Amino acid sequence: MSEVKGHCHCGQTEWTVKIEDKAHVLCHCNTCKSLSGAASTLNTIIPESDFKLTKGELKHYTYKGDSGKDVNCYYCPNCTTHVYHHQTVMGPKIVVRTILLDGAKDWKPAAEVWGKAKMSWEPEVATTFEMMPPE
């Protein structure tokens, strides 16, 4: 288990996470595309207890996910960098944006989720699941 520091674009908000594997899960869902303006986002799923805000504060808003359950999006109130999402359907786990973590540019992709929404021109870079991997 590694503890890794993260920060938002403006530096007003910082945090640490404890993670098992330093790897990215690429999400191709339409919500991630809308939020990021990119074809996918880079993430990992961790227990909420392994996230610690160390500087600043986070604001949040809520929307309904594909499950029909609430998804809470936490972001820096100054630059609006999305730090993590809590999909209530996932219980006490959160989806953390790995690209915001120190050293993440050197991490490899471990999986791709929401492959059914993937752009037709994107190559497969890891095992791809149509939606989420089976539990």
Side-chain angles (χ1 to χ4, degrees), residues 24-28 39-40 42 108-116 118-131:
H24 302 290
V25 174
L26 284 68
C27 183
H28 301 282
S40 64
L42 305 174
K108 303 288 186 218
E112 298 184 69
V113 297
W114 285 95
K116 71 179 190 174
K118 192 173 181 173
M119 305 296 267
S120 63
W121 47 262
E122 288 182 277
E124 184 172 12
V125 296
T127 301
T128 302
F129 299 92
E130 284 295 298
M131 293 174 67

Side-chain angles (χ1 to χ4, degrees), residues 10 24 32 39 47 53 60 63-65 68-69 78 80 85 89 99 110:
C10 72
H24 302 290
C32 282
L53 188 65
H60 85 279
Y63 70 92
K64 295 286 184 199
K69 306 270 186 188
N78 187 53
T80 71
H85 298 112
V89 73
I99 197 59

Side-chain angles (χ1 to χ4, degrees), residues 59-70:
K59 287 195 172 189
H60 85 279
Y61 64 92
T62 303
Y63 70 92
K64 295 286 184 199
D66 286 342
S67 68
K69 306 270 186 188
D70 286 348

